[in-house]
Amino acid sequence: MAGEIEGATAALMRSIEHGDAATAAGVYAGDAIVLAPAGDLLHGRAEIEAYWQAGIALGLSAVDFQRRVLAAVAGRVVEVGRYALSVEAARVGRVVDRGTYLVLHSQVADGCWRRSVDVFNPDEPRTVR
């Protein structure tokens, strides 16, 4: 289970580096929920793919997850750690957004472990305009 989750996380990171939002969304369960840093609540793979695609279009070039905790809880797996999102912005160069994350992994019908709830909590508060 831990190896499969690790592999899926690596696939998510690679897909972002390659600008492939569809593959990034593929590591999520069909009914997954993502609470994005800007406070948007995303439901399902289509919205999650659109979220990653929008990031890529804005210059998202890499995401890194550094897991600190992986624990089985009631048939699911909780993962907690640190993340870094790298964005190449035309006017300011490379910007790195860092924070903490929490993922609830669930085993889906085909037996694979997928991200079912993903929460990002940035270190720096964002100003909404």
Side-chain angles (χ1 to χ4, degrees), residues 42-84:
L42 310 168
H43 295 272
R45 277 196 192 134
E47 288 185 15
I48 293 167
E49 181 178 346
Y51 167 74
W52 287 120
Q53 186 59 53
I56 291 165
L58 291 173
L60 178 62
S61 59
V63 60
D64 183 48
F65 296 100
Q66 297 297 317
R67 181 178 65 212
R68 303 281 170 83
V69 175
L70 188 68
V73 178
R76 296 183 185 207
V77 176
V78 174
E79 177 181 354
V80 179
R82 300 275 308 152
Y83 75 85

Side-chain angles (χ1 to χ4, degrees), residues 96-119:
V96 179
D97 175 39
R98 298 179 193 282
T100 55
Y101 73 92
L102 179 139
V103 180
L104 179 64
H105 299 273
S106 299
Q107 198 168 25
V108 295
D110 67 2
C112 292
W113 288 90
R114 303 236 184 256
R115 295 166 101 87
S116 58
V117 178
D118 212 340
V119 180

